[in-house]
Amino acid sequence: MDKVIGIDLGTTNSCVGIVENGNPVVIPNRGGYKTTPSMVAVTEAGKRLVGHIAKRQAITNAENTVYAAKRLIGRKWTSPQVKNAVATSSYKVVEGPHNDVRIVLRDKEFSVPEVSAMILQEMKVIAEDYLGEPVSKAVITVPAYFNDNQRQATKDAGEIAGLEVIRIINEPTSAALSYGYGRNVEKVVAVYDFGGGTFDISILEIAGNGVFKVIATAGDTFLGGEDVDARVIDWLVQGFKDEHDIDLRQDRMALQRLKDAAEKAKCELSAVSEAEVNLPFIITSSRNEALHLQRTLTRVVLEELAEDLIARTVDICRQTLEDARLEKNEVEEVLLVGGMTRMPKIQQAVAKFFEREPSKGVHPDEVVALGAAIQGAALVDDKQDMILLDVTPHALGIMTFGNYFEELIPANTTVPTQRQKIFTTSRDNQTAVKILVMQGDSTKAEDNELLGEFILTGLRRAAKGTVEVEVTFEINADGIVSVRAKDLETGLEQSIQVTATSGLTRDEIKAMIENSKDELVDRRTSEEFESARQEAEKTITQIEELFPQVQQVVASSDFGRDAIEKAKGIVAKARQAIEKRDAAAVKEQLEGLMRTHRMFKGVVAKT
Ligand code: AMP
C-alpha cells in the first residue's frame, strides 16, 4: 500500500507525520527536531538552504532569506496584506506577471508556491530518509480560513515539490482528527489554533463511529505570532529612537536581529516574567560609535502589546459559536493548537471565554501533522472507517448587476457540495453571459475575492428573460471550486475548474517541477559538503559577530592587528572553499575557524 505523509506547512515551522502500524508519529529531521523552520535562503554561491540551516544564517543573509512565505501564498499583488509584507519584510517582494507575488533571492525571482515547494520538498526528504524509501503522496494542511486561491496555490506547491497532494485539509480539523483518533470519544470540541501567521477556530462534533463533522469555522489569515513579534519590534525600535534618535528599521541586518530577539523574548516570557533583550553593536551612530540595544521586556508589557490581538481572536471565537448556534456550555472540550497557545495570557483568555480549562492532551506543534497523516492513511486504506465532513469557510457566489454579491453556497456549508441556480438573460438577443465567481462574506462584490471568470457563449438569440442558464457550483473535498453553466434549452454547457487567478499557469508549474527535480539531485549528492558547510557558516557568523568587540580590544597592538588579519584570512579561505563546493577544503578550514572563534571568545570574555 502507498505510504502517505501528512504535512503541516506552517508559517513559522513545518512538521511531517506518518501512520506506522496504526500509530501516527511525527518524523524528526536530521538534527533530531520534530519541527523544521519554514525558512528558505539562497547563499552567495547560489545554493538553496531550507529549515534550520536557513534560519541559522538569516541574520548575515537577511535579504536572501525568506520567512513566513505562507502569508503571501495565493494572494494578489494588489492586496493589502501583500502591501504590508512589502513594507515589513527583510527580503524583496515584487509584482509577478499575473498580479501575483514574486520573491527575489539573489536577483532571481521565485513564485510563492515555488518557495513553499522548497519547504515541502525538505519535509518529503525528511520522511524519505526516515522510511528509507521514496514517498510520493501527501496530505497537506492549510488554515481553515484559506480561500480557494490560497488552497490551489498550496496544491501547486505540492506538485512543484514532486508530491501528489491527495487531499488538502484544514488545520483545526486535522488537530481534532488526531485528538479523536482511536479514542471513541463523542464530544463537541472547539479547536483554537493560533500559529505563527494565522488564527483559526473550528467547532466540531466528534461522533463515536469515526465521524468528524465540522459545525462552524472562522479565522484570520493575517493574525499570528508574527504580529505579536512585530509589536515587540515596534516597542524596541521606538525605545531606541527615543534614546538615540536613530531608526533601526533602515538597516536590514539590524531588523533581522531585532526580529530574532523579539521572538526569543516573547517565547521566554511564556515561562518567566522578565526577558532581557541584548543586541550589542546593533548599529553605528553618525559619530561612528557602535551602539548597543539593551532592554528588559516584562510579561506584563508583552501582554499589553498583544492585548488587542488576543481580543481579536476571542471576538472570532464568539462569532463562530454563534454561527454554530451553540452555547458555551455545549462545547465539551477546548483544544489548543499552534505555538502561540503556549503564551499564558492566551490560555487564560481562551479559558475565560469558553469557561473551561483547555485540554492539555494534544501537542500544539505536532497535532496538525499527525491529523494529516491519519487522514492520508484513511484515504489509501479502505478498511479505515473514518469520515471527515468539513465546511467551506467562505460563502461562494457570483457578481450580479450593480456590483452585488449573490450567494449560492453560504459559509459553513458541509463540503463536498453542489448548488444550482437558474439565471435568465438581461438583454434581447443576448448571446453570451459572463460569470464572475467570487468568494467572501460581504454583500458588496468588490470586497470579496474574485476566484475566476468565464463566458458562456453561443446562446440562442431571443427576447430578454427567455433564455435560461443553469449555473452549478461545486466544492470538492479539498475545498476547491468548479462551476458549470448550461443553456437549459439547447443543452450547451461550459465549465471551469476555478483555478486561482493569482496562481501560476500550467506551463510555469511544469517548468518549476523540472527545476525542483534538479535541485533535489543536487541536494542528495552533496550531503557531506552540506554538513561541513553548515558548521563552517555557523562558525563564520559567530566570528563575525565578535569582530567589532575584538577589534576594539586588540587593535592597539601589532600582535592584535596581526591576529585579526589572520582571522580574516581564514574566513576568506573558508568562504572560497564553500563557494567552490569543495567538501574537503571546507573541512580543512573548519579547524582554523573553530580555533579563531575560541580565541575571539577568550578575548571578549576578558574585557
Ligand atoms: P506554529 O505556526 O504553530 O509553529 O507557531 C509558531 C508561533 O508560535 C511563532 O510565532 C512562535 O514564536 C510562537 N511560539 C512558539 N513557542 C512559543 C512560546 N513558548 N511562547 C510563545 N509563543 C511561542
Side-chain angles (χ1 to χ4, degrees):
M1 198 169 60
D2 279 347
K3 292 215 163 103
V4 186
I5 51 174
I7 303 177
D8 169 8
L9 177 63
T11 309
T12 321
N13 295 297
S14 293
C15 184
V16 56
I18 190 152
V19 176
E20 275 190 317
N21 307 320
N23 277 334
V25 291
V26 162
I27 305 177
N29 63 24
R30 203 177 293 252
Y33 298 102
K34 290 191 168 176
T35 61
T36 298
S38 305
M39 285 177 117
V40 168
V42 177
T43 65
E44 224 176 324
K47 180 76 191 146
R48 280 187 199 173
L49 307 177
V50 183
H52 286 98
I53 337 170
K55 185 166 185 175
R56 228 175 274 138
Q57 55 83 71
I59 289 175
T60 47
N61 186 23
E63 260 173 77
N64 301 292
T65 304
V66 189
Y67 54 88
K70 187 174 173 181
R71 294 199 136 186
L72 301 172
I73 202 161
R75 291 200 189 269
K76 296 191 175 76
W77 170 252
T78 39
S79 71
Q81 291 87 351
V82 170
K83 289 212 172 82
N84 178 22
V86 172
T88 58
S89 300
S90 55
Y91 51 89
K92 203 163 149 197
V93 181
V94 297
E95 184 176 1
H98 321 292
N99 187 21
D100 64 336
V101 179
R102 301 281 156 129
I103 295 169
V104 184
L105 294 171
R106 301 261 174 219
D107 298 330
K108 195 168 166 221
E109 286 183 14
F110 293 88
S111 69
V112 186
E114 244 177 319
V115 171
S116 297
M118 295 179 204
I119 300 161
L120 291 172
Q121 201 173 44
E122 182 74 14
M123 305 318 285
K124 178 177 184 274
V125 171
I126 290 171
E128 289 175 344
D129 284 350
Y130 173 86
L131 296 167
E133 60 181 276
V135 171
S136 60
K137 290 192 161 94
V139 170
I140 303 178
T141 61
V142 295
Y145 219 53
F146 256 21
N147 64 32
D148 196 59
N149 289 335
Q150 292 167 303
R151 285 167 199 270
Q152 187 64 50
T154 305
K155 262 195 131 175
D156 290 350
E159 201 181 337
I160 296 167
L163 285 165
E164 183 194 340
V165 182
I166 59 170
R167 185 67 51 89
I168 294 277
I169 63 170
N170 293 332
E171 287 159 11
T173 312
S174 186
L177 213 59
S178 167
Y179 165 79
Y181 179 71
R183 276 206 192 176
N184 211 16
V185 284
E186 274 182 53
K187 265 185 184 171
V188 173
V189 300
V191 183
Y192 176 101
D193 180 357
F194 200 178
T198 54
F199 169 71
D200 272 329
I201 166 91
S202 288
I203 297 175
L204 296 97
E205 195 179 339
I206 306 178
N209 52 1
V211 178
F212 292 76
K213 186 177 187 318
V214 181
I215 310 172
T217 193
D220 187 330
T221 47
F222 232 78
L223 174 57
E226 294 266 339
D227 300 289
V228 179
D229 300 350
R231 293 290 168 84
V232 178
I233 297 171
D234 285 347
W235 180 81
L236 291 169
V237 166
Q238 192 55 47
F240 197 84
K241 193 148 195 256
D242 294 346
E243 196 180 335
H244 300 287
D245 201 24
I246 293 178
D247 184 2
L248 289 174
R249 288 186 193 282
Q250 306 303 324
D251 184 323
R252 277 184 200 255
M253 183 149 145
L255 198 57
Q256 187 63 40
R257 284 179 73 191
L258 277 170
K259 193 175 140 37
D260 253 23
E263 189 191 1
K264 191 162 154 275
K266 175 192 74 177
C267 293
E268 277 172 25
L269 289 174
S270 292
V272 294
S273 58
E274 278 190 11
E276 201 60 44
V277 179
N278 202 345
L279 295 170
F281 309 104
I282 185 88
I283 209 155
T284 313
S285 74
S286 53
R287 291 200 307 266
N288 234 5
E289 286 167 321
L291 299 175
H292 320 297
L293 187 153
Q294 194 167 23
R295 275 188 97 181
T296 305
L297 178 65
T298 63
R299 189 187 278 181
V300 175
V301 171
L302 174 70
E303 288 175 358
E304 277 168 18
L305 294 173
E307 195 176 358
D308 61 309
L309 301 173
I310 300 173
R312 260 166 71 194
T313 70
V314 173
D315 284 344
I316 299 172
C317 290
R318 188 172 296 113
Q319 185 57 48
T320 313
L321 211 52
E322 265 176 41
D323 293 344
R325 297 197 175 81
L326 287 173
E327 297 298 326
K328 282 180 192 176
N329 61 11
E330 290 175 280
V331 173
E332 296 163 282
E333 188 93 60
V334 180
L335 307 182
L336 296 181
V337 180
M340 276 310 296
T341 60
R342 292 209 182 83
M343 187 172 171
K345 188 73 186 176
I346 291 180
Q347 295 174 359
Q348 288 155 18
V350 177
K352 185 165 170 233
F353 175 74
F354 284 102
E355 295 166 8
R356 78 171 46 244
E357 281 306 314
S359 162
K360 300 262 184 269
V362 295
H363 193 297
D365 297 332
E366 298 171 11
V367 66
V368 172
L370 291 174
I374 293 167
Q375 171 71 349
L379 286 171
V380 291
D381 178 6
D382 293 338
K383 288 196 297 293
Q384 290 207 25
D385 36 352
M386 196 185 74
I387 299 171
L388 186 60
L389 298 167
D390 217 320
V391 295
T392 173
H394 304 280
L396 191 76
I398 59 172
M399 184 163 120
T400 56
F401 193 68
N403 266 349
Y404 286 109
F405 173 66
E406 175 151 350
E407 188 178 284
L408 275 134
I409 300 178
N412 289 320
T413 301
T414 304
V415 290
T417 188
Q418 180 174 310
R419 296 280 163 95
Q420 275 145 348
K421 191 162 184 156
I422 293 171
F423 293 89
T424 51
T425 45
S426 58
R427 281 178 281 115
D428 288 339
N429 296 324
Q430 183 176 347
T431 55
V433 285
K434 184 172 176 182
I435 295 176
L436 292 167
V437 183
M438 313 200 93
Q439 194 167 41
D441 305 294
S442 169
T443 49
K444 279 193 278 173
E446 69 214 36
D447 294 343
N448 294 330
E449 182 90 359
L450 176 67
L451 291 185
E453 55 181 77
F454 73 118
I455 299 172
L456 181 68
T457 51
L459 298 177
R460 287 167 298 121
R461 289 180 180 276
K464 73 174 177 190
T466 58
V467 178
E468 292 187 322
V469 179
E470 180 190 74
V471 180
T472 306
F473 277 66
E474 200 179 323
I475 307 181
N476 71 11
D478 290 327
I480 290 174
V481 178
S482 60
V483 182
R484 288 195 304 277
K486 188 169 159 188
D487 179 335
L488 278 181
E489 197 170 301
T490 62
L492 174 75
E493 187 172 311
Q494 276 162 35
S495 68
I496 51 160
Q497 163 114 39
V498 185
T499 43
T501 44
S502 58
L504 303 166
T505 64
R506 274 320 302 168
D507 286 348
E508 280 176 316
I509 293 173
K510 268 196 211 145
M512 288 167 190
I513 292 172
E514 286 310 310
N515 200 351
S516 96
K517 271 191 204 149
D518 294 347
E519 275 292 325
L520 194 61
V521 173
D522 190 7
R523 188 201 134 112
R524 284 183 176 265
T525 53
S526 63
E527 266 159 19
E528 187 194 353
F529 166 76
E530 267 312 308
S531 75
R533 187 197 54 75
Q534 268 175 44
E535 199 57 39
E537 279 193 339
K538 187 177 88 192
T539 318
I540 291 175
T541 308
Q542 288 166 335
I543 292 172
E544 288 184 336
E545 276 174 6
L546 292 173
F547 257 130
Q549 270 168 292
V550 174
Q551 229 147 4
Q552 261 184 357
V553 179
V554 301
S556 53
S557 75
D558 283 350
F559 173 75
R561 278 195 296 273
D562 201 36
I564 286 189
E565 282 317 307
K566 265 199 191 130
K568 282 187 178 160
I570 291 171
V571 168
K573 271 196 194 146
R575 284 228 163 93
Q576 269 169 15
I578 291 173
E579 191 96 21
K580 284 198 205 127
R581 305 185 55 72
D582 181 342
V586 177
K587 280 188 187 160
E588 207 178 297
Q589 295 306 321
L590 200 52
E591 216 168 289
L593 286 173
M594 300 236 191
R595 217 177 324 111
T596 308
H597 181 224
R598 276 195 300 275
M599 180 185 78
F600 273 23
K601 272 206 306 199
V603 171
V604 172
K606 285 200 202 86
T607 59

